[in-house]
Short mmCIF file of all heavy atoms in Angstrom, two decimals:
data_model
loop_
_atom_site.label_atom_id
_atom_site.label_comp_id
_atom_site.label_asym_id
_atom_site.label_seq_id
_atom_site.Cartn_x
_atom_site.Cartn_y
_atom_site.Cartn_z
N LEU A 21 65.80 108.30 66.15
CA LEU A 21 65.17 108.01 67.43
C LEU A 21 63.66 107.84 67.28
O LEU A 21 63.03 108.54 66.48
CB LEU A 21 65.45 109.14 68.42
CG LEU A 21 66.92 109.40 68.75
CD1 LEU A 21 67.06 110.59 69.69
CD2 LEU A 21 67.57 108.16 69.36
N PRO A 22 63.07 106.91 68.03
CA PRO A 22 61.61 106.74 67.99
C PRO A 22 60.90 108.02 68.44
O PRO A 22 61.49 108.87 69.12
CB PRO A 22 61.36 105.59 68.98
CG PRO A 22 62.67 104.88 69.10
CD PRO A 22 63.72 105.92 68.92
N GLU A 23 59.66 108.13 68.06
CA GLU A 23 58.87 109.31 68.40
C GLU A 23 58.78 109.49 69.92
O GLU A 23 58.57 108.53 70.66
CB GLU A 23 57.45 109.18 67.82
CG GLU A 23 56.58 110.40 68.06
CD GLU A 23 55.20 110.24 67.46
OE1 GLU A 23 54.96 109.21 66.79
OE2 GLU A 23 54.37 111.14 67.67
N GLY A 24 58.97 110.72 70.37
CA GLY A 24 58.86 111.02 71.78
C GLY A 24 60.13 110.83 72.58
O GLY A 24 60.15 111.10 73.78
N ILE A 25 61.21 110.37 71.93
CA ILE A 25 62.48 110.13 72.63
C ILE A 25 63.39 111.33 72.44
O ILE A 25 63.70 111.72 71.32
CB ILE A 25 63.17 108.85 72.09
CG1 ILE A 25 62.21 107.66 72.15
CG2 ILE A 25 64.44 108.58 72.87
CD1 ILE A 25 61.69 107.36 73.52
N GLU A 26 63.82 111.93 73.54
CA GLU A 26 64.69 113.10 73.49
C GLU A 26 66.00 112.81 74.21
O GLU A 26 66.00 112.49 75.41
CB GLU A 26 64.00 114.29 74.15
CG GLU A 26 62.70 114.71 73.48
CD GLU A 26 62.02 115.84 74.22
OE1 GLU A 26 62.60 116.32 75.22
OE2 GLU A 26 60.92 116.26 73.81
N PRO A 27 67.13 112.89 73.51
CA PRO A 27 68.41 112.67 74.18
C PRO A 27 68.73 113.80 75.14
O PRO A 27 68.37 114.96 74.91
CB PRO A 27 69.41 112.62 73.01
CG PRO A 27 68.75 113.40 71.91
CD PRO A 27 67.27 113.18 72.07
N THR A 28 69.42 113.48 76.21
CA THR A 28 69.78 114.49 77.21
C THR A 28 71.16 115.08 76.95
O THR A 28 71.50 116.12 77.52
CB THR A 28 69.77 113.88 78.62
OG1 THR A 28 70.77 112.87 78.72
CG2 THR A 28 68.41 113.27 78.93
N LYS A 29 71.96 114.45 76.10
CA LYS A 29 73.32 114.90 75.85
C LYS A 29 73.39 115.84 74.65
O LYS A 29 72.43 115.98 73.88
CB LYS A 29 74.25 113.70 75.62
CG LYS A 29 74.23 112.67 76.74
CD LYS A 29 74.75 113.23 78.04
CE LYS A 29 74.81 112.16 79.13
NZ LYS A 29 75.25 112.68 80.44
N ASP A 30 74.54 116.46 74.47
CA ASP A 30 74.81 117.33 73.33
C ASP A 30 74.61 116.54 72.03
O ASP A 30 75.21 115.48 71.87
CB ASP A 30 76.25 117.84 73.43
CG ASP A 30 76.60 118.85 72.33
OD1 ASP A 30 75.86 118.93 71.33
OD2 ASP A 30 77.60 119.55 72.48
N PRO A 31 73.77 117.05 71.11
CA PRO A 31 73.52 116.30 69.86
C PRO A 31 74.78 116.02 69.04
O PRO A 31 74.80 115.09 68.24
CB PRO A 31 72.56 117.22 69.09
CG PRO A 31 71.93 118.07 70.14
CD PRO A 31 72.97 118.27 71.19
N SER A 32 75.83 116.83 69.24
CA SER A 32 77.05 116.63 68.46
C SER A 32 77.98 115.59 69.07
O SER A 32 79.03 115.29 68.51
CB SER A 32 77.81 117.96 68.32
OG SER A 32 78.26 118.41 69.59
N GLN A 33 77.58 115.01 70.22
CA GLN A 33 78.44 114.04 70.88
C GLN A 33 78.59 112.79 70.03
O GLN A 33 77.64 112.29 69.43
CB GLN A 33 77.87 113.68 72.25
CG GLN A 33 78.84 112.88 73.12
CD GLN A 33 78.39 112.84 74.57
OE1 GLN A 33 77.65 113.70 75.02
NE2 GLN A 33 78.84 111.84 75.31
N LEU A 34 79.82 112.27 69.99
CA LEU A 34 80.16 111.13 69.13
C LEU A 34 79.58 109.83 69.66
O LEU A 34 79.69 109.53 70.85
CB LEU A 34 81.68 111.02 69.01
CG LEU A 34 82.24 110.05 67.97
CD1 LEU A 34 81.86 110.48 66.57
CD2 LEU A 34 83.76 109.96 68.11
N VAL A 35 78.96 109.07 68.77
CA VAL A 35 78.42 107.75 69.10
C VAL A 35 79.36 106.65 68.62
O VAL A 35 79.65 105.69 69.34
CB VAL A 35 77.02 107.56 68.49
CG1 VAL A 35 76.52 106.13 68.71
CG2 VAL A 35 76.04 108.56 69.06
N ALA A 36 79.84 106.78 67.38
CA ALA A 36 80.74 105.78 66.80
C ALA A 36 81.44 106.39 65.59
O ALA A 36 80.99 107.41 65.04
CB ALA A 36 79.98 104.52 66.39
N SER A 37 82.52 105.77 65.19
CA SER A 37 83.24 106.20 63.99
C SER A 37 83.74 104.97 63.25
O SER A 37 83.85 103.88 63.82
CB SER A 37 84.40 107.13 64.35
OG SER A 37 85.31 106.48 65.21
N VAL A 38 84.02 105.16 61.96
CA VAL A 38 84.49 104.07 61.11
C VAL A 38 85.88 104.42 60.58
O VAL A 38 86.09 105.53 60.08
CB VAL A 38 83.53 103.81 59.94
CG1 VAL A 38 84.10 102.74 59.00
CG2 VAL A 38 82.16 103.36 60.48
N THR A 39 86.82 103.52 60.73
CA THR A 39 88.20 103.77 60.32
C THR A 39 88.77 102.55 59.60
O THR A 39 88.17 101.46 59.62
CB THR A 39 89.09 104.08 61.53
OG1 THR A 39 89.15 102.91 62.38
CG2 THR A 39 88.54 105.26 62.33
N HIS A 40 89.92 102.76 58.98
CA HIS A 40 90.70 101.64 58.49
C HIS A 40 91.39 100.97 59.67
O HIS A 40 91.70 101.64 60.67
CB HIS A 40 91.75 102.11 57.47
CG HIS A 40 91.17 102.56 56.17
ND1 HIS A 40 90.59 101.69 55.27
CD2 HIS A 40 91.07 103.80 55.63
CE1 HIS A 40 90.16 102.36 54.21
NE2 HIS A 40 90.43 103.65 54.41
N PRO A 41 91.64 99.67 59.59
CA PRO A 41 92.33 99.00 60.71
C PRO A 41 93.72 99.57 60.90
O PRO A 41 94.41 99.90 59.93
CB PRO A 41 92.35 97.52 60.29
CG PRO A 41 92.17 97.54 58.81
CD PRO A 41 91.32 98.74 58.50
N SER A 42 94.13 99.72 62.13
CA SER A 42 95.46 100.24 62.44
C SER A 42 96.27 99.17 63.15
O SER A 42 95.72 98.33 63.88
CB SER A 42 95.36 101.49 63.31
OG SER A 42 94.70 101.20 64.53
N VAL A 43 97.58 99.22 62.94
CA VAL A 43 98.48 98.26 63.59
C VAL A 43 99.07 98.92 64.82
O VAL A 43 99.58 100.04 64.74
CB VAL A 43 99.61 97.85 62.62
CG1 VAL A 43 100.55 96.85 63.30
CG2 VAL A 43 99.04 97.26 61.34
N PRO A 44 98.98 98.28 65.99
CA PRO A 44 99.57 98.85 67.20
C PRO A 44 101.05 99.19 67.00
O PRO A 44 101.75 98.51 66.24
CB PRO A 44 99.39 97.75 68.24
CG PRO A 44 98.23 96.95 67.73
CD PRO A 44 98.33 97.00 66.24
N ALA A 45 101.53 100.23 67.68
CA ALA A 45 102.89 100.71 67.49
C ALA A 45 103.93 99.63 67.75
O ALA A 45 104.91 99.50 67.01
CB ALA A 45 103.14 101.91 68.40
N ASP A 46 103.74 98.82 68.81
CA ASP A 46 104.73 97.79 69.11
C ASP A 46 104.76 96.70 68.06
O ASP A 46 105.82 96.19 67.70
CB ASP A 46 104.47 97.19 70.50
CG ASP A 46 103.06 96.63 70.63
OD1 ASP A 46 102.19 97.03 69.83
OD2 ASP A 46 102.83 95.79 71.52
N VAL A 47 103.55 96.37 67.53
CA VAL A 47 103.49 95.36 66.46
C VAL A 47 104.13 95.90 65.20
O VAL A 47 104.88 95.20 64.50
CB VAL A 47 102.03 94.95 66.20
CG1 VAL A 47 101.96 93.98 65.02
CG2 VAL A 47 101.42 94.31 67.44
N GLU A 48 103.84 97.18 64.88
CA GLU A 48 104.41 97.79 63.69
C GLU A 48 105.94 97.84 63.78
O GLU A 48 106.64 97.57 62.81
CB GLU A 48 103.84 99.20 63.51
CG GLU A 48 104.27 99.86 62.20
CD GLU A 48 103.55 101.17 61.98
OE1 GLU A 48 102.76 101.58 62.83
OE2 GLU A 48 103.79 101.80 60.92
N ALA A 49 106.46 98.18 64.97
CA ALA A 49 107.91 98.22 65.16
C ALA A 49 108.52 96.84 64.98
O ALA A 49 109.59 96.69 64.37
CB ALA A 49 108.23 98.77 66.54
N ALA A 50 107.83 95.81 65.50
CA ALA A 50 108.33 94.44 65.36
C ALA A 50 108.35 94.01 63.89
O ALA A 50 109.29 93.37 63.43
CB ALA A 50 107.49 93.49 66.19
N LEU A 51 107.30 94.40 63.15
CA LEU A 51 107.23 94.05 61.73
C LEU A 51 108.34 94.76 60.95
O LEU A 51 108.95 94.17 60.04
CB LEU A 51 105.85 94.42 61.17
CG LEU A 51 104.67 93.60 61.69
CD1 LEU A 51 103.35 94.15 61.16
CD2 LEU A 51 104.82 92.13 61.28
N GLU A 52 108.58 96.03 61.29
CA GLU A 52 109.63 96.78 60.61
C GLU A 52 111.00 96.17 60.89
O GLU A 52 111.85 96.07 59.99
CB GLU A 52 109.60 98.25 61.04
CG GLU A 52 108.39 99.02 60.51
CD GLU A 52 108.36 100.44 61.02
OE1 GLU A 52 109.22 100.78 61.87
OE2 GLU A 52 107.49 101.22 60.57
N ALA A 53 111.22 95.75 62.14
CA ALA A 53 112.49 95.13 62.50
C ALA A 53 112.67 93.80 61.77
O ALA A 53 113.78 93.48 61.28
CB ALA A 53 112.57 94.92 64.01
N GLU A 54 111.58 93.05 61.67
CA GLU A 54 111.64 91.77 60.95
C GLU A 54 111.95 91.98 59.48
O GLU A 54 112.75 91.26 58.88
CB GLU A 54 110.31 91.04 61.12
CG GLU A 54 110.29 89.66 60.49
CD GLU A 54 108.95 88.95 60.69
OE1 GLU A 54 108.20 89.38 61.60
OE2 GLU A 54 108.67 87.99 59.95
N GLU A 55 111.32 93.01 58.89
CA GLU A 55 111.56 93.30 57.48
C GLU A 55 113.00 93.77 57.26
O GLU A 55 113.66 93.36 56.29
CB GLU A 55 110.58 94.38 57.00
CG GLU A 55 110.77 94.83 55.56
CD GLU A 55 110.50 93.73 54.54
OE1 GLU A 55 109.89 92.71 54.91
OE2 GLU A 55 110.90 93.89 53.37
N ALA A 56 113.51 94.60 58.17
CA ALA A 56 114.89 95.07 58.06
C ALA A 56 115.87 93.91 58.16
O ALA A 56 116.87 93.85 57.41
CB ALA A 56 115.18 96.11 59.14
N ALA A 57 115.60 92.97 59.07
CA ALA A 57 116.47 91.80 59.21
C ALA A 57 116.44 90.94 57.96
O ALA A 57 117.47 90.42 57.52
CB ALA A 57 116.04 90.99 60.44
N ARG A 58 115.24 90.81 57.38
CA ARG A 58 115.12 90.00 56.16
C ARG A 58 115.90 90.63 55.02
O ARG A 58 116.62 89.94 54.28
CB ARG A 58 113.64 89.87 55.76
CG ARG A 58 113.39 88.90 54.61
CD ARG A 58 111.92 88.91 54.20
NE ARG A 58 111.55 90.19 53.62
CZ ARG A 58 111.82 90.53 52.35
NH1 ARG A 58 112.46 89.69 51.56
NH2 ARG A 58 111.44 91.70 51.89
N VAL A 59 115.77 91.96 54.87
CA VAL A 59 116.50 92.66 53.81
C VAL A 59 118.00 92.54 54.01
O VAL A 59 118.77 92.30 53.06
CB VAL A 59 116.08 94.15 53.77
CG1 VAL A 59 116.98 94.93 52.83
CG2 VAL A 59 114.63 94.27 53.35
N ALA A 60 118.44 92.68 55.28
CA ALA A 60 119.86 92.56 55.57
C ALA A 60 120.38 91.17 55.22
O ALA A 60 121.49 91.01 54.70
CB ALA A 60 120.11 92.87 57.05
N THR A 61 119.58 90.14 55.52
CA THR A 61 119.99 88.77 55.22
C THR A 61 120.11 88.55 53.72
O THR A 61 121.08 87.94 53.23
CB THR A 61 118.97 87.78 55.80
OG1 THR A 61 118.90 87.96 57.22
CG2 THR A 61 119.37 86.34 55.50
N VAL A 62 119.12 89.07 52.96
CA VAL A 62 119.16 88.94 51.51
C VAL A 62 120.38 89.65 50.93
O VAL A 62 121.08 89.12 50.06
CB VAL A 62 117.86 89.51 50.89
CG1 VAL A 62 117.97 89.58 49.38
CG2 VAL A 62 116.67 88.65 51.30
N GLU A 63 120.64 90.87 51.44
CA GLU A 63 121.80 91.62 50.94
C GLU A 63 123.11 90.92 51.28
O GLU A 63 124.05 90.91 50.46
CB GLU A 63 121.79 93.03 51.55
CG GLU A 63 120.65 93.91 51.01
CD GLU A 63 120.62 95.27 51.67
OE1 GLU A 63 121.32 95.44 52.70
OE2 GLU A 63 119.90 96.16 51.18
N ALA A 64 123.18 90.32 52.47
CA ALA A 64 124.40 89.61 52.86
C ALA A 64 124.64 88.41 51.96
O ALA A 64 125.76 88.17 51.51
CB ALA A 64 124.30 89.18 54.32
N HIS A 65 123.56 87.67 51.69
CA HIS A 65 123.69 86.51 50.79
C HIS A 65 124.09 86.95 49.40
O HIS A 65 124.89 86.29 48.73
CB HIS A 65 122.38 85.73 50.76
CG HIS A 65 122.11 84.99 52.03
ND1 HIS A 65 120.88 84.45 52.33
CD2 HIS A 65 122.92 84.69 53.08
CE1 HIS A 65 120.94 83.85 53.51
NE2 HIS A 65 122.17 83.99 53.98
N ALA A 66 123.53 88.07 48.94
CA ALA A 66 123.87 88.57 47.61
C ALA A 66 125.34 88.97 47.56
O ALA A 66 126.04 88.73 46.57
CB ALA A 66 122.97 89.76 47.27
#
């Protein structure tokens, strides 16, 4: 902070965080279903 600037909130309050990208639950479920269908198709052909 510049000189003379005093925050009014708790100093431990979160400003931002950095994470790995996450896949939404519905998208992840759709991807898993697609992968399961692909595996089933391959096994059926085999």
Side-chain angles (χ1 to χ4, degrees):
L21 299 177
E23 183 179 356
I25 306 302
E26 299 177 3
T28 64
K29 305 296 184 183
D30 184 344
S32 65
Q33 191 166 337
L34 190 64
V35 174
S37 59
V38 175
T39 64
H40 290 291
S42 60
V43 180
D46 56 340
V47 175
E48 186 173 1
L51 292 174
E52 290 177 354
E54 183 179 342
E55 177 64 16
R58 187 185 67 80
V59 171
T61 301
V62 171
E63 291 177 348
H65 288 167

